Amino acid sequence: MGQQGQHLGRAAGGTVTPTSSAALRRANLSLVLRHLRDHVSRSRADIAEATGLHRATVSNLVAELLDRQLVREVGVEHVGAVGRPRRPVALHGAHVGALGLEINVDYISVHGSDLSGRILVERRIGFDTMGSGPDRSLHRLGTVAREAIETMRSAGADPAGIGVAVPALVDVARGVVTFAPNLNWHNLPLAARLSATLGSPNVPVMVDNDANLAAVAEYTSGVAAGTPHLVYLTGEVGVGGGIIVDGRLLRGADGFSGEVGHLPVDPAGARCGCGRRGCWETKVGLAALVRTAMPQQAYTPAGLPVSDPEERAKEISRGLVEGDRHMMYAVAQVGRWLGLGGSIVVNLFNTRVIVVGGYFATLAEWLLPHAQEELERLVVAGAAAQCRFTASNLGFGAASRGAASMVVNQLIDDPTTIMDSIPRPPVH
Amino acid sequence: MGQQGQHLGRAAGGTVTPTSSAALRRANLSLVLRHLRDHVSRSRADIAEATGLHRATVSNLVAELLDRQLVREVGVEHVGAVGRPRRPVALHGAHVGALGLEINVDYISVHGSDLSGRILVERRIGFDTMGSGPDRSLHRLGTVAREAIETMRSAGADPAGIGVAVPALVDVARGVVTFAPNLNWHNLPLAARLSATLGSPNVPVMVDNDANLAAVAEYTSGVAAGTPHLVYLTGEVGVGGGIIVDGRLLRGADGFSGEVGHLPVDPAGARCGCGRRGCWETKVGLAALVRTAMPQQAYTPAGLPVSDPEERAKEISRGLVEGDRHMMYAVAQVGRWLGLGGSIVVNLFNTRVIVVGGYFATLAEWLLPHAQEELERLVVAGAAAQCRFTASNLGFGAASRGAASMVVNQLIDDPTTIMDSIPRPPVH
C-alpha cells in the first residue's frame, strides 16, 4: 500500500481550475512531450498506452508536433507478425533554444541547449561580481547572454526562454533577487533588467536560486540522476541547498526552501556574517576550513569572503596529498560538521543521496568519509534510512545547466507558447 | 512563471508505466471521486470541464458510481436560460467505512468514518501500551478495533480499510513497526498481526507514523486545513513531525521523513535517551519542561518517561495561570528552543504554518509567543518567509482521524477495490 506523493483530500470548497479546450490541447501536447523527454523514442501506440489518451488523439497531437519539428520520426520499428510497423518519434526541437546562465561571486557561467537537451554553448567567464556592483554585473551578464544567443542562433536554435541562477533568496514569481548576501544585492529586479538589456521582451526570463537549479541539473543529468529524493549542497564560502522530493524541486511556500547555510547547529559557536551564532556555514563554509587548515590565509579584511576560493581549495588538496597533518585534522573536523548537517537533512527529508558541489567536491576523498561516518551516527532511522554523500561531477556548470533544464521543462509544460510564437522552421 | 511542484525531466531510459484499459477505468473513476471529495457537489458538466474527460465518459463513470452508491445526486441546479438543468452529484459511500486507530504510550484512540468523511465512531481509551508489551497491546488494539467495526456496521458502513498510527519509524510498504522507542517495540509486523486478530484478510491494514497521520488530519480538517506547506509537531515526551509539501505528505525514500526529535541542536547539550547529545527532544520534550518547571517531578526512575504527561502539562498550566515565575521562566526557555527547531523546519521547507499538538497545544498561549519570536529571529528569509506557529484543535484524536482520512484517500485512489469487493448496497 505505497502512498508516495499521494495527493491528500482537503476540506470541501477548494478553488476550481477551469479547463477550456485550449487548456486541454496544451495539457495533452505537454503530456506527449513529457513522455518523450523521459524516453529515447516511443511509438504513437506506446504513447497512447502510457498516457491514457486515445490513439487518434495521439496521432493528431504527434502530427502537430512533427509539423512544428518539436518531435521527429526516428526510423521504423516492427512489432510482431500481425502488427503494422510502428514509427517511433523522439523529442526534437533543434530550432528551440534554452539558455541557462549563472552569476556567482567570481564567475558567470553559460549553458545553452536545444529542446532535446543537445548542448550548443557552454562557457565559464571569471568575473568579480561582488566587487562590480549590480549595474556593472548586469551589464556584463547581458553581454555574455547576447554572445551566447548569437552562438545558439548560428547553430539554428532561437532561445525561447532564459534562466538565471543566483546565490540568493529569489522571488521566483516576480524574477526579483530578494537578497544575495555574498553579492550584496537587495531587491534587484533581475528578470526585468536582463530582458530590457537584451531587448527581447517576448523571451521570458526566470530567476532562481543557484542551489535549486544545480539540484535540478543533478536530478536531470548528474551522478545520481533520477534519484527521486536527492539533495544538492553547494560548497563555497556560503553553503546552499537544493532539494528534490519525489522527483520535484521543493520550493516551499515562497520559494525559500533549502536554506541550509544558517541552520543553527551550535548555540556556543562563532558569530556568523549574518549576525546569528553557530550557523552551519561557520562550520563547513570554505572560510571555516581555511581558518583551521591554513590560518595564515584566513584573515582577509573584514567583510570580504575568502579570496580566490578555488585556489585555496586546490592548495589544501595539494597539502593533503603531501600528508599535511594540520590539514588532515581540518578536513576531519569540517567533514564531521558536514555529516551533522547532512543528518538534519536526512532526518527531515529521508533523502537517498546528498550530492555535494564546489569545494566539497574538490576535497571529496578527504571530507566525505568523515561526513558519511557522522551522518550514519546521527540519523535516527540508522541503517534503515540509507543515504550516501557523493561528489558532483558537473563542476561549476551545474547551476547554469539546471537553469537551461528548467527552461526546457517550462517549454514542455506549455508547448503552445513556442508553437505559437517561434517562427515555423524551414523544412529541409 | 510559477513552477510549484513541477515534475522534472530526467535522463532518458526511465521505467515505463504500462496502462491497460482496466487501469484507465480505475484512473478515471478515481479522478471523478477525487474531484468530488474536494468539492461539496458538482454537475457532470463541471466534472468534465475540470478533469478534461469527455462529457459522455463522465456520464458513464458517474452512472457506475451512482449504481454503487459511491456518489449520490443532490437536487437540481438550473443554469442559464438555455441550459438544461444540471443535477449535481456528491461523494456518498455511506456503506463504505474507513477505520483509523492510534496506539500511543498511554492510550488507544479510534476514528471511524464513511467514504464522505461522516464520523461514525470516535473514542479514546486509556491504556498502558508501554507497560503491557506488544502481545497484550495488540490484543487490546484488536478488541478496540472489533468494537469499532461493530459500531460502524450497525451504522450501515462496512470498513473497507484500516489505518493504524504508531509513534514509531514504520516500514509503510510492509506494515511493520521498525522501531518505536517509547513503546519499546522492534520490527513488529503490526499490519499482519492485526489482520490475523480481526480475521478479515480482505480488509487492508496500513500502518504509519503518528505525526505523519496527524499532519494529514491537520491538512484535511484542522485549523490550517488546505495550507499546502504545513508541518505538524507532536508535543509529548517524544517530539515527532509530519510534513506536508505541496499538499502531499512527505515520506522520503523509505518513509522515515519528519524525524525532528533527534535533530542535533546543541553539541554541548545533555545526553538524550537515544545516546546522542543535544537532541532537540532534550530541549522541547515534555521531560525538559517538567525538569525546569517542576524539578521535584522530573526524576522518575531512569529509563521511564515522565509519568502521566497530560496531568503534568495541566499542572504547569495551572501554575502559569497563577503567575508562577519559575514556570514562566521554563516555558520561555522551552518556547525559544521550540522556535529554534521551527526555524530549521522553515529554513529547509519554507513552511507556511507549523501546527503544534500535545502539550505544545495545551500550553500554547505561553509557549508560542516565545517560539514565534525566536523563529522570526532565526529564519534566513526573514519577514519574506512568513510562518506562524498555531495550536491544533484536533486534540488527541488527530492521528486516528488522519489514519481514517488516509484510508479514504486510498479507496478513492483505487475505487475498483471497493466496487468489486464490497457487496452492492441494498437500494432504498
Side-chain angles (χ1 to χ4, degrees):
Chain A
M1 296 180 83
Q3 306 146 50
Q4 199 68 47
Q6 182 187 46
H7 241 303
L8 304 172
R10 51 199 178 82
T15 54
V16 186
T17 317
T19 309
S20 62
S21 64
L24 192 59
R25 168 175 170 260
R26 187 165 64 225
N28 285 341
L29 286 165
S30 174
L31 193 59
V32 171
L33 288 174
R34 279 205 305 275
H35 187 68
L36 291 173
R37 176 191 61 191
D38 295 339
H39 296 86
V40 175
S41 66
R42 307 290 282 166
S43 72
R44 291 164 181 78
D46 293 336
I47 297 169
E49 197 170 5
T51 58
L53 295 170
H54 284 284
R55 288 283 288 268
T57 309
V58 170
S59 288
N60 288 339
L61 294 165
V62 167
E64 198 177 349
L65 293 167
L66 278 170
D67 180 53
R68 293 297 187 151
Q69 298 190 21
L70 297 182
V71 306
R72 63 195 171 97
E73 293 189 318
V74 288
V76 175
E77 178 187 289
H78 287 278
V79 286
V82 293
R84 284 195 309 163
R86 298 181 175 185
R87 288 170 303 171
V89 291
L91 197 61
H92 189 37
H95 59 298
V96 178
L99 176 58
L101 302 165
E102 178 189 5
I103 182 155
N104 217 310
V105 175
D106 56 353
Y107 64 89
I108 293 172
S109 78
V110 179
H111 184 101
S113 77
D114 69 11
L115 196 71
S116 74
R118 192 168 53 104
I119 299 172
L120 304 174
V121 56
E122 219 172 7
R123 286 181 70 191
R124 176 159 184 249
I125 301 114
F127 179 69
D128 177 15
T129 307
M130 192 189 188
S132 303
D135 290 340
R136 279 171 55 207
S137 298
L138 275 175
H139 181 79
R140 186 79 183 101
L141 186 67
T143 307
V144 171
R146 239 189 318 269
E147 288 167 7
I149 290 168
E150 270 169 41
T151 307
M152 292 170 74
R153 283 196 179 135
S154 69
D158 208 15
I162 299 173
V164 189
V166 191
L169 294 171
V170 178
D171 180 338
V172 175
R174 293 168 52 230
V176 171
V177 174
T178 307
F179 178 43
N182 294 324
L183 305 180
N184 202 22
W185 290 359
H186 298 262
N187 294 316
L188 184 71
L190 180 55
R193 295 272 303 264
L194 185 61
S195 268
T197 302
L198 294 176
S200 51
N202 295 327
V203 179
V205 176
M206 71 102 188
V207 184
D208 206 332
N209 174 272
D210 60 340
N212 278 357
L213 293 175
V216 169
E218 293 296 343
Y219 180 74
T220 309
S221 52
V223 287
T227 305
H229 294 273
L230 176 156
V231 167
Y232 176 83
L233 299 176
T234 67
E236 316 281 342
V237 174
V239 178
I243 293 163
I244 305 287
V245 154
D246 282 328
R248 295 164 192 258
L249 177 63
L250 174 74
R251 294 188 173 284
D254 314 283
F256 298 148
S257 62
E259 288 298 328
V260 295
H262 301 277
L263 294 179
V265 295
D266 185 2
R271 187 73 67 182
C272 178
C274 74
R276 301 177 189 87
R277 199 171 273 288
C279 295
W280 191 44
E281 206 163 282
T282 67
K283 307 290 187 181
V284 299
L286 183 56
L289 178 64
V290 170
R291 202 161 45 234
T292 314
M294 38 202 301
Q296 71 285 4
Q297 301 283 352
Y299 299 98
T300 56
L304 283 183
V306 174
S307 61
D308 209 347
E310 267 178 276
E311 191 42 51
R312 291 295 154 277
K314 283 183 194 150
E315 266 177 69
I316 294 173
S317 172
R318 284 191 293 269
L320 288 164
V321 169
E322 288 160 12
D324 183 314
R325 294 183 62 154
H326 208 73
M327 290 186 179
M328 291 285 191
Y329 171 81
V331 290
Q333 194 178 53
V334 171
R336 280 194 297 271
W337 280 109
L338 181 57
L340 181 138
S343 82
I344 294 179
V345 165
V346 174
N347 278 331
L348 291 177
F349 293 97
N350 188 190
T351 298
R352 176 69 77 233
V353 177
I354 299 176
V355 183
V356 295
Y359 97 83
F360 293 151
T362 310
L363 301 181
E365 73 179 287
W366 292 281
L367 281 171
L368 297 194
H370 298 288
Q372 187 72 35
E373 192 183 334
E374 187 74 347
L375 177 81
E376 287 169 13
R377 189 177 76 78
L378 291 174
V379 166
V380 172
Q386 286 166 33
C387 179
R388 66 188 164 84
F389 276 102
T390 189
S392 171
N393 63 2
L394 296 180
F396 286 85
S400 55
R401 178 189 285 260
S405 277
M406 204 60 136
V407 169
V408 167
N409 287 334
Q410 290 181 348
L411 296 174
I412 285 180
D413 278 350
D414 184 1
T416 54
T417 53
I418 32 178
M419 296 174 77
D420 300 339
S421 72
I422 287 208
R424 198 177 293 208
V427 178
H428 302 292
Chain B
M1 294 180 85
Q3 305 144 53
Q4 199 68 47
Q6 182 185 48
H7 240 302
L8 304 171
R10 51 198 178 82
T15 54
V16 186
T17 315
T19 310
S20 62
S21 64
L24 193 59
R25 168 175 170 260
R26 187 165 62 225
N28 285 342
L29 287 166
S30 173
L31 194 58
V32 171
L33 288 175
R34 279 204 305 275
H35 187 69
L36 291 175
R37 176 190 60 190
D38 296 339
H39 297 85
V40 176
S41 67
R42 306 292 280 166
S43 72
R44 290 163 181 79
D46 292 336
I47 297 169
E49 196 171 4
T51 59
L53 295 171
H54 285 283
R55 287 284 288 269
T57 309
V58 170
S59 288
N60 288 338
L61 294 166
V62 167
E64 199 176 347
L65 293 167
L66 278 170
D67 181 51
R68 293 297 186 153
Q69 299 190 18
L70 296 182
V71 306
R72 64 195 169 97
E73 294 189 318
V74 289
V76 177
E77 179 185 288
H78 287 278
V79 287
V82 293
R84 284 195 308 163
R86 297 181 175 187
R87 288 171 302 170
V89 290
L91 197 60
H92 188 35
H95 59 298
V96 178
L99 175 59
L101 302 165
E102 179 188 7
I103 181 156
N104 218 310
V105 175
D106 56 354
Y107 65 89
I108 292 172
S109 77
V110 178
H111 184 101
S113 78
D114 69 10
L115 196 71
S116 73
R118 190 168 55 103
I119 299 172
L120 305 175
V121 55
E122 219 172 8
R123 285 181 70 193
R124 176 160 183 246
I125 301 115
F127 180 69
D128 178 15
T129 307
M130 193 189 186
S132 304
D135 290 339
R136 279 171 53 207
S137 298
L138 275 174
H139 182 78
R140 187 78 183 101
L141 186 67
T143 307
V144 171
R146 237 189 319 268
E147 288 166 6
I149 291 168
E150 269 168 43
T151 307
M152 293 169 74
R153 283 198 179 132
S154 68
D158 207 16
I162 299 173
V164 188
V166 192
L169 293 170
V170 177
D171 180 338
V172 174
R174 293 167 53 232
V176 172
V177 174
T178 306
F179 178 43
N182 294 325
L183 305 180
N184 203 21
W185 290 0
H186 297 262
N187 295 314
L188 184 71
L190 180 55
R193 294 273 303 265
L194 184 61
S195 268
T197 301
L198 294 176
S200 52
N202 294 328
V203 179
V205 176
M206 70 101 187
V207 183
D208 206 332
N209 174 271
D210 59 340
N212 280 356
L213 293 175
V216 169
E218 293 297 344
Y219 181 74
T220 309
S221 51
V223 287
T227 306
H229 293 273
L230 176 156
V231 167
Y232 176 83
L233 299 176
T234 66
E236 316 280 343
V237 174
V239 178
I243 293 162
I244 305 287
V245 154
D246 282 327
R248 294 163 194 259
L249 176 64
L250 174 74
R251 294 189 172 284
D254 313 284
F256 298 148
S257 62
E259 287 299 326
V260 295
H262 301 276
L263 294 180
V265 295
D266 185 2
R271 186 73 69 181
C272 177
C274 74
R276 301 177 188 88
R277 200 172 272 288
C279 295
W280 191 43
E281 206 163 282
T282 67
K283 307 290 189 183
V284 298
L286 182 56
L289 178 63
V290 170
R291 204 161 44 234
T292 314
M294 38 202 302
Q296 71 286 4
Q297 301 283 352
Y299 297 98
T300 56
L304 283 183
V306 174
S307 59
D308 209 348
E310 266 180 276
E311 190 42 49
R312 290 293 152 282
K314 283 182 197 152
E315 266 177 69
I316 293 173
S317 172
R318 284 190 293 269
L320 288 163
V321 169
E322 288 159 14
D324 182 315
R325 294 183 62 151
H326 208 71
M327 290 187 180
M328 292 283 191
Y329 172 80
V331 290
Q333 194 179 52
V334 170
R336 279 194 297 272
W337 280 108
L338 181 58
L340 180 138
S343 82
I344 295 178
V345 165
V346 174
N347 278 330
L348 291 177
F349 293 97
N350 189 190
T351 298
R352 178 69 77 232
V353 176
I354 299 177
V355 183
V356 295
Y359 98 83
F360 293 152
T362 310
L363 302 182
E365 73 179 287
W366 293 280
L367 281 170
L368 298 194
H370 298 287
Q372 187 71 34
E373 190 183 337
E374 187 73 348
L375 177 81
E376 286 168 15
R377 190 177 76 77
L378 291 174
V379 166
V380 172
Q386 286 166 29
C387 179
R388 65 187 164 86
F389 276 102
T390 190
S392 170
N393 64 1
L394 297 181
F396 286 85
S400 54
R401 180 189 283 260
S405 276
M406 205 59 137
V407 169
V408 168
N409 287 334
Q410 289 182 349
L411 296 174
I412 285 179
D413 278 350
D414 184 1
T416 55
T417 53
I418 31 177
M419 296 174 76
D420 300 339
S421 72
I422 286 208
R424 195 176 295 208
V427 178
H428 302 291

